[in-house]
Amino acid sequence: MVQPKIIKLVDGEKGNIIKITDLQLDGVMRRRLLDLGFIKGAQVEVVRKSPLGDPIAFRVSQTTIALRKEESSKIEGELISNGE
Amino acid sequence: MGNEYRIALAGNPNTGKSTLFNALTGLRQHTGNWAGKTVSLAQGSVEYKNKTFQFIDLPGTYSLFSNSKDEEVARNYIVFEKPDVTLVVLDATSLERNFNLALQVLEMTKNVIICINLIDIAEKQGIEIKERLLTNRLGVPVIKISARNKIGFPLLLDTIDRIVTGAIECQPLVLQYPDEIEEKIRQIEPHVRAIVGDHVSARWVALRLLDGDESLLDEINRLITLKGAS
Amino acid sequence: MHIEQLYKEAQKLSTKQLRDDIVQHLHERSHLLCQEGITYNKAKKDTKTEKLDAIFTSPIFGFPIMMIMLGTVFYITIAGANVPSSLLADFFGWLESQLTALFTFLHAPEWLHGMLILGLFRGTAWVIAVMLPPMAIFFPTFALLENYGYLPRVAFNMDRLFKKVGAHGKQSLTMAMGFGCNAAAVISTRIIESPRERMLAILTNNFVPCNGRWGTLIVFASLFMAAGFTGGMKSLVTTGILVGIVLFGILITFFVSWFLSKTALKGIPTHYTLELPPYRKPKIFDTVIRASATKSWSVLVRAVKVAAPAAILTWVFANIYIGDSSILLHAVNFLDPFGRLLGLDGYIMMAFILGLPANEIVLPILLMGYLSTGSLTEVKSMVDLKKIFLDHGWTWLTALNMMLFSLLHYPCGTTLVNIYKETKSKKWTFMAFLIPTVIAIVIPLMITQTVRFFGWI
């Protein structure tokens, strides 16, 4: 068995699919992210980066949501696909 | 003369909720204030079978956990202003996230219609929706519409009519949480009922209290004062 | 038991994990519902949005496309509004002479004619002629972009810049709303969830010129700045100047946001999530045309409602004499030295003060002020209009300062009321008045003094 690779959402490359394992955020921001579908076990696809590099758009729960690196660096998950 | 009924429109942002509101009410719109609050919401009326349906366009929100002012406004309207029917507008192309809000509304109030919008686009993308099955699962009417193309409006208006006349009775799904949470709800719920009575769902309030929703306290106190005064 | 007590009890039972579990459970249930009730045919996935986003948010094309879009919307508005605006002005000029003839025929007293025709009619006619055509073009064009789903992409592209100054990317959406109406935009800041960034968006929204100021900006840009050009070129130059003015407003927005983030509204940027919905072809008639017509109409009604009493008031002020000059002239003379310092004059200052209820009426009041004292020129066309300004000593510098003051000055009365309603704070409402006012004084002052120092005029 290959050990699953854990990466932060902010480090994902376009096309990567990441299964969320941990959210290191508190308060309203945590609530907001949970509402949007950034929950443990959810699969998130890295869609694209903004022209200036930040924020990054993610595909989660059938919608596209952009997060700044302040938040996306606090969400971790297993890299389950490189998107070919 | 017909009676007037209030129909609240709730939904995620970008679901075409306002398109539906505009398509239904056309130019018969105005902005109304409610209950001495500074918040103003767009309202518009539709005449149907000698009745007046007063539609109220609530702010588009992702959830109703009062994380923002908009969420609080929408939640307070549904829970405390008690519209006759709450219409939850969902985007057929992203139902997974959209159902979330629908489930929250079902916990808050009884008379709910689930309106699955953008059905034309969903069909083009090969998304098939079994609305009968969903109606069974959720215990409230589920209707497929396209607000842009005015598809499904007769059925929607008819369903509203049948709810307000009592021809349909909604039995919204009671979402069961894991045992540990259910146990805590059981401890709180009777005390909540003693305070709020039957005016709002005690189970819902209990859940919100466990969740730590402080903004709800003021609203409940206001409700108690109102009831005490009348 | 009291609800507060119960809350405390509930908090004892609750854990941090509990909320996560509740939401997790909701999501799982949603997921289950989708699995049972919906079948997805993956073959027909929506690739249009992906392809368009690759262009609109591209590192190379993203920003140029944004600028082109902004410029195009302005150009369509200006070029398209030209003809109907002057047609309306001609029509109202003709109507005015007919009405005057009627008053003479009826032997109506001079003051009644003055108040109703020269005051009320002329004032409101100007508001309609200058405002209605740009509005009728701008709202639908903008609604098209909005309904199509382009605006969230602007917020996505621009966020990094907003973050640099401590603001929220969604502020670009509320700013976009400001092009229509600042008062409505202040309410729309509710989409920004964090209070600090929301306050920034509220305080700076005024630096985006609203519809009520479009008229003023377009008139002066085309009369003074693009004076040497004709036809399509004239519209193009006017557009260029307007884009410049708008960019300057955005620059000031960034500066003020940055300054406030470092001082009164210190704090780290928080709470950022932005949805990028799929692009969707708008329904032209229902959502674009009809919504815009309703919007234009309501803005116009509001403008006329405010313009009518203000027009009468101005006329009365201009015609009631204390000593050997009118009340208006006393006020104008009092304000004149200050106005001159900014490269403006007493009439202009007076017009902005009386125009507090609505920006739409600043220009009509200014004209009425000029006309009430000078020879009573009939304003039948844009050429006559320019002559009035030239007769009162206007140069390109006056026009530039007027445009800048209009762009930067305090929000209109309705906006201030909304700011108070939204912030519930007298202090911040006052700041929303003070900050733009100070900037609107300082910038023309600096420009005027510099120009005079170097003797460019």
Side-chain angles (χ1 to χ4, degrees):
Chain A
M1 270 302 285
V2 187
Q3 194 69 19
K5 194 182 166 195
I6 300 282
I7 65 163
K8 290 174 176 147
L9 284 197
V10 70
D11 299 323
E13 290 298 322
K14 188 170 156 43
N16 284 1
I17 294 174
I18 298 162
K19 188 175 168 190
I20 297 179
T21 53
D22 192 21
L23 267 90
Q24 295 143 355
L25 285 147
D26 281 312
V28 185
M29 192 62 206
R30 183 184 184 90
R31 292 168 161 248
R32 165 63 66 233
L33 288 170
L34 291 172
D35 288 341
L36 291 171
F38 290 92
I39 53 170
K40 266 179 214 171
Q43 293 195 6
V44 175
E45 184 190 338
V46 182
V47 180
R48 67 181 66 256
K49 287 185 178 163
S50 157
L52 300 172
D54 186 46
I56 302 172
F58 300 98
R59 187 86 185 151
V60 59
S61 200
Q62 300 176 338
T63 48
T64 307
I65 305 288
L67 300 180
R68 282 177 175 172
K69 67 169 186 286
E70 279 76 4
E71 280 80 45
S72 56
S73 63
K74 287 178 183 147
I75 305 172
E76 278 182 354
E78 289 170 26
L79 182 64
I80 57 174
S81 161
N82 280 320
E84 284 87 57
Chain B
M1 264 314 286
N3 299 318
E4 196 171 295
Y5 297 95
R6 285 176 302 128
I7 323 290
L9 267 83
N12 280 184
N14 311 309
T15 50
K17 185 167 66 68
S18 295
T19 312
L20 175 65
F21 177 73
N22 287 331
L24 281 171
T25 61
L27 294 174
R28 296 173 301 275
Q29 290 180 14
H30 67 278
T31 323
N33 289 308
W34 44 282
K37 309 230 167 92
T38 52
V39 182
S40 47
L41 299 166
Q43 296 185 11
S45 60
V46 174
E47 301 292 326
Y48 187 79
K49 288 193 180 167
N50 290 320
K51 298 179 190 70
T52 305
F53 296 152
Q54 190 70 240
F55 286 91
I56 297 112
D57 194 16
L58 300 178
T61 57
Y62 293 115
S63 83
L64 293 166
F65 292 142
S66 71
N67 293 330
S68 72
K69 178 126 192 256
D70 274 351
E71 288 182 15
E72 233 167 89
V73 168
R75 177 202 72 188
N76 287 348
Y77 197 90
I78 296 171
V79 174
F80 297 104
E81 298 295 309
K82 289 188 153 297
D84 295 289
V85 178
T86 305
L87 233 130
V88 188
V89 185
L90 310 185
D91 176 348
T93 63
S94 55
L95 279 174
E96 205 171 305
R97 196 197 58 204
N98 277 247
F99 269 136
N100 235 325
L101 184 85
L103 290 172
Q104 291 179 35
V105 174
L106 290 178
E107 286 183 325
M108 292 157 63
T109 177
K110 191 174 168 217
N111 289 341
V112 178
I113 298 175
I114 310 284
C115 240
I116 302 187
N117 189 22
L118 299 162
I119 195 70
D120 50 328
I121 294 173
E123 272 163 13
K124 267 184 215 152
Q125 290 176 20
I127 300 172
E128 269 175 62
I129 296 159
K130 298 170 197 132
E131 71 268 35
R132 291 243 179 81
L133 184 139
L134 291 172
T135 302
N136 277 333
R137 290 281 186 277
L138 296 170
V140 298
V142 177
I143 297 171
K144 294 200 273 194
I145 63 158
S146 164
R148 297 149 32 98
N149 301 313
K150 304 195 174 165
I151 296 170
F153 285 15
L155 180 62
L156 174 62
L157 289 172
D158 191 56
T159 311
I160 295 173
D161 182 59
R162 291 203 287 166
I163 288 181
V164 297
T165 55
I168 304 180
E169 196 178 345
C170 295
Q171 288 177 316
L173 158 87
V174 180
L175 194 67
Q176 291 296 313
Y177 289 94
D179 291 344
E180 192 198 349
I181 299 177
E182 285 295 331
E183 175 55 36
K184 287 172 182 167
I185 296 173
R186 264 195 295 278
Q187 287 182 40
I188 305 277
E189 199 181 330
H191 299 293
V192 175
R193 188 161 287 122
I195 296 172
V196 299
D198 292 327
H199 194 75
V200 294
S201 158
R203 182 184 162 85
W204 176 77
V205 175
L207 257 169
R208 304 310 335 129
L209 290 180
L210 284 169
D211 188 23
D213 189 345
E214 264 192 285
S215 71
L216 190 63
L217 302 182
D218 287 342
E219 295 301 323
I220 287 176
N221 278 329
R222 192 171 302 154
L223 174 80
I224 297 165
T225 343
L226 269 173
K227 281 206 309 192
S230 62
Chain C
M1 203 187 313
H2 239 265
I3 190 79
E4 276 83 6
Q5 257 172 291
L6 194 55
Y7 177 73
K8 276 184 200 128
E9 292 294 315
Q11 284 309 293
K12 272 182 221 155
L13 286 173
S14 182
T15 56
K16 209 184 126 199
Q17 191 58 37
L18 187 120
R19 149 88 190 194
D20 281 24
D21 289 344
I22 292 175
V23 181
Q24 189 103 17
H25 199 70
L26 280 169
H27 275 283
E28 275 163 20
R29 194 56 185 244
S30 298
H31 191 68
L32 197 69
L33 279 169
C34 283
Q35 274 184 336
E36 290 182 325
I38 297 149
T39 36
Y40 295 96
N41 182 351
K42 287 264 176 189
K44 297 182 196 165
K45 224 181 137 195
D46 170 34
T47 53
K48 190 181 79 180
T49 294
E50 210 150 295
K51 281 176 192 154
L52 284 170
D53 267 343
I55 303 167
F56 288 145
T57 66
S58 136
I60 304 159
F61 303 117
F63 280 90
I65 288 177
M66 247 161 50
M67 292 298 301
I68 291 167
M69 291 263 192
L70 188 72
T72 309
V73 172
F74 291 170
Y75 180 78
I76 294 173
T77 307
I78 292 163
N82 253 336
V83 176
S85 256
S86 56
L87 280 178
L88 276 173
D90 288 352
F91 169 72
F92 285 126
W94 172 82
L95 198 62
E96 190 186 306
S97 57
Q98 296 301 308
L99 285 170
T100 303
L102 182 73
F103 272 70
T104 323
F105 175 74
L106 293 174
H107 299 289
E110 190 55 38
W111 63 267
L112 190 68
H113 173 255
M115 196 165 88
L116 290 183
I117 301 301
L118 302 179
L120 182 66
F121 179 83
R122 210 177 252 180
T124 41
W126 263 103
V127 169
I128 296 169
V130 174
M131 296 253 322
L132 185 61
M135 225 159 47
I137 299 169
F138 179 81
F139 278 142
T141 320
F142 206 79
L144 210 66
L145 283 183
E146 193 179 357
N147 282 334
Y148 193 59
Y150 179 65
L151 294 188
R153 273 71 193 182
V154 174
F156 182 61
N157 289 347
M158 298 277 284
D159 182 63
R160 184 82 185 265
L161 299 174
F162 281 99
K163 192 168 91 177
K164 272 250 162 71
V165 298
H168 196 291
K170 279 188 198 164
Q171 191 172 327
S172 51
L173 302 182
T174 62
M175 284 164 75
M177 190 76 92
F179 284 120
C181 172
N182 295 128
V186 165
I187 296 173
S188 78
T189 58
R190 284 183 198 163
I191 58 169
I192 300 171
E193 285 135 20
S194 48
R196 197 188 70 87
E197 280 93 330
R198 183 164 173 234
M199 185 66 87
L200 286 175
I202 291 176
L203 292 176
T204 56
N205 190 269
N206 183 57
F207 298 125
V208 173
C210 68
N211 223 293
R213 290 181 276 167
W214 277 108
T216 312
L217 293 175
I218 293 175
V219 164
F220 290 115
S222 69
L223 279 188
F224 284 88
M225 311 284 165
F229 304 91
T230 50
M233 197 58 200
K234 190 176 175 109
S235 299
L236 209 62
V237 174
T238 311
T239 306
I241 288 156
L242 233 59
V243 169
I245 288 277
V246 167
L247 289 181
F248 186 70
I250 293 172
L251 199 74
I252 295 288
T253 302
F254 281 132
F255 175 75
V256 172
S257 302
W258 171 81
F259 184 77
L260 287 172
S261 294
K262 295 275 172 229
T263 53
L265 288 168
K266 238 184 237 171
I268 41 157
T270 42
H271 288 56
Y272 180 84
T273 57
L274 172 75
E275 182 173 0
L276 300 174
Y279 291 96
R280 271 169 195 150
K281 214 167 122 199
K283 278 279 165 206
I284 305 286
F285 182 76
D286 270 356
T287 42
V288 178
I289 307 283
R290 197 163 60 186
S292 308
T294 323
K295 212 167 170 184
S296 305
W297 180 246
S298 71
V299 173
L300 196 69
V301 166
R302 187 183 78 97
V304 171
K305 265 187 198 161
V306 184
I312 293 183
L313 193 73
T314 313
W315 188 88
V316 170
F317 278 175
N319 286 276
I320 294 179
Y321 282 72
I322 297 177
D324 53 359
S325 60
S326 65
I327 299 180
L328 187 79
L329 209 60
H330 278 297
V332 165
N333 288 336
F334 174 74
L335 292 167
D336 202 58
F338 180 65
R340 297 275 165 207
L341 215 58
L342 309 185
L344 303 167
D345 65 25
Y347 289 98
I348 302 172
M349 300 317 296
M350 189 71 212
F352 275 113
I353 291 170
L354 287 175
L356 176 69
N359 285 302
E360 290 84 349
I361 60 176
V362 170
L363 191 57
I365 290 180
L366 178 62
L367 283 171
M368 260 180 277
Y370 282 155
L371 293 178
S372 67
T373 49
S375 57
L376 268 167
T377 331
E378 298 263 311
V379 188
K380 277 190 185 151
S381 69
M382 287 291 201
V383 185
D384 292 339
L385 188 61
K386 186 168 183 184
K387 199 170 168 300
I388 299 169
F389 293 120
L390 290 177
D391 286 347
H392 284 84
W394 276 52
T395 60
W396 64 268
L397 183 65
T398 326
L400 178 68
N401 284 329
M402 171 90 190
M403 288 166 77
L404 286 173
F405 196 86
S406 173
L407 173 78
L408 303 170
H409 80 296
Y410 45 80
C412 75
T414 317
T415 307
L416 285 172
V417 169
N418 281 356
I419 292 174
Y420 181 68
K421 277 187 189 165
E422 293 296 314
T423 61
K424 294 263 187 309
S425 151
K426 285 189 182 123
K427 180 191 138 199
W428 285 112
T429 309
F430 180 66
M431 289 302 274
F433 176 86
L434 189 70
I435 297 167
T437 307
V438 169
I439 294 173
I441 290 171
V442 169
I443 289 180
L445 182 76
M446 274 166 26
I447 292 178
T448 307
Q449 299 312 318
T450 312
V451 169
R452 284 190 187 146
F453 179 79
F454 287 104
W456 289 330
I457 203 144

